[in-house]
Amino acid sequence: FCPEKGGKNGKIATLVAENKEKNYVRTILDFSEFGLDIDEKIGYVLYEKFDQGSAEQLSQAFEQFRISGKTKLILDLRGNPGGDGNVLTQVASMLLDNETHGKDIPIICLNYKDGTKYEYKTYENNYIFKGVEGGEIVALVNGSTASASEALVGAMLVQGVAEIVGTK
């Protein structure tokens, strides 16, 4: 820290901060590396937080999921505190099929004290099981699955696209 121009002895210090994006997504597409004999159609995705950049990370994980021929998804939302509502709509657009329902799918509606309402809906169809017969989702939840995670789980339950496993 240099309190005056030029600092002590006329030297100037320059600090450079590196912008490192946090990785909010972890995947397991091959369980054999863990010595587990699990159905080869199953893939596991841990999604830690609905934060800026995390929907893109999840999309990339789902692309690898598709490329590897997986049709059964274990989506781990345990400990996910939620986050940004706009990220929620991006994620929901990957897990809910607009074409099946012929419209944008409501995820959550906010009713404010002043009478204003705002509804988060899927807005594009990036469904991970597009063109896949028998795609299945199991979502893992626990007492720390909150906010946007809860809204996503609720929407998946209402649409009948996921089985939910875990604790309240």
Side-chain angles (χ1 to χ4, degrees), residues 71-164:
T71 58
K72 299 175 182 181
L73 170 67
I74 298 171
L75 178 63
D76 194 344
L77 297 169
R78 294 175 297 176
N80 185 317
D84 188 298
N86 293 317
V87 175
L88 168 62
T89 60
Q90 291 173 302
V91 171
S93 295
M94 293 181 242
L95 296 167
L96 303 170
D97 187 11
N98 287 13
E99 290 176 8
T100 298
H101 303 283
K103 60 181 176 173
D104 294 340
I105 300 167
I107 306 161
I108 192 168
C109 182
L110 304 176
N111 295 313
Y112 296 96
K113 288 181 181 180
D114 68 1
T116 308
K117 293 182 179 186
Y118 185 81
E119 192 169 60
Y120 287 96
K121 296 180 178 185
T122 59
Y123 58 89
E124 54 189 332
N125 195 13
N126 294 323
Y127 186 52
I128 62 167
F129 292 124
K130 244 188 242 184
V132 173
E133 286 287 324
E136 298 175 30
I137 302 172
V138 171
L140 304 179
V141 298
N142 66 8
S144 298
T145 303
S147 182
S149 301
E150 293 172 296
L152 178 64
V153 167
M156 290 191 302
L157 276 172
V158 168
Q159 297 301 319
V161 299
E163 179 180 338
I164 310 304

Side-chain angles (χ1 to χ4, degrees), residues 49-70:
K49 189 174 182 183
F50 292 76
D51 205 0
Q52 200 166 33
S54 68
E56 178 59 34
Q57 293 171 10
L58 190 60
S59 177
Q60 291 169 1
F62 287 158
E63 184 59 25
Q64 289 304 310
F65 178 88
R66 276 193 294 263
I67 289 170
S68 63
K70 307 298 180 197

